[in-house]
Amino acid sequence: QVQLVESGGGSVQAGGSLRLTCVISGYTDSGYSLGWAWFRQVVGKEREGIAALYTSTGRMFYADSVNGRFTISHDNVKNTVYLQMDSLKPDDTAMYYCAATSPAPFSDYVLAPELYNYWGQGTQVTVSS
């Protein structure tokens, strides 16, 4: 059974940084590329895709709302993906989820939550002004 476990959330003041970690277990390499992504959601709003990458090529994708401030990276040996979040703003307050799927989604849809099969339980990030 595939499981994703996030960690690293917390409370920080505006301008600060956090690094989220997501570990995948129980996944068997199918030979297809694996796509990782980070999403966030505020109560009452739709889930927003903010960052994604293809493990096969290392290609990264970012939503405009976080581009230049957040960095997604991965460690294939550890089956872990990270989200480094810098210059945090109060608008970044949300529950953050990591997700994975194989094969990786086509690039035009890489931040579409409905295309991801595996999800973590979420970790809360709160940014105060």
Side-chain angles (χ1 to χ4, degrees):
Q1 183 178 356
V2 176
Q3 289 188 321
L4 278 68
V5 179
E6 303 103 330
S7 60
S11 297
V12 65
Q13 289 191 327
S17 298
L18 285 173
R19 188 175 83 155
L20 305 184
T21 299
C22 178
V23 180
I24 187 170
S25 61
Y27 173 75
T28 300
D29 189 352
S30 63
Y32 294 100
S33 63
L34 181 66
W36 287 93
W38 285 96
F39 296 83
R40 65 186 182 186
Q41 189 169 23
V42 176
V43 174
K45 295 187 177 181
E46 292 186 354
R47 190 165 294 191
E48 175 191 17
I50 56 173
L53 67 83
Y54 295 151
T55 58
S56 58
T57 63
R59 184 180 177 186
M60 297 171 285
F61 307 84
Y62 296 98
D64 289 343
S65 58
V66 305
N67 195 24
R69 300 187 299 121
F70 291 10
T71 304
I72 188 171
S73 61
H74 72 290
D75 184 329
N76 277 344
V77 174
K78 296 181 179 180
N79 286 333
T80 300
V81 66
Y82 305 95
L83 185 69
Q84 177 66 40
M85 305 186 295
D86 298 318
S87 302
L88 283 162
K89 306 174 182 179
D91 284 349
D92 294 318
T93 295
M95 184 71 78
Y96 282 70
Y97 300 88
C98 71
T101 197
S102 181
F106 184 63
S107 60
D108 285 356
Y109 311 105
V110 73
L111 294 179
E114 61 268 24
L115 297 183
Y116 286 81
N117 294 326
Y118 310 116
W119 290 84
Q121 80 287 351
T123 185
Q124 178 69 36
V125 172
T126 302
V127 184
S128 58
S129 57

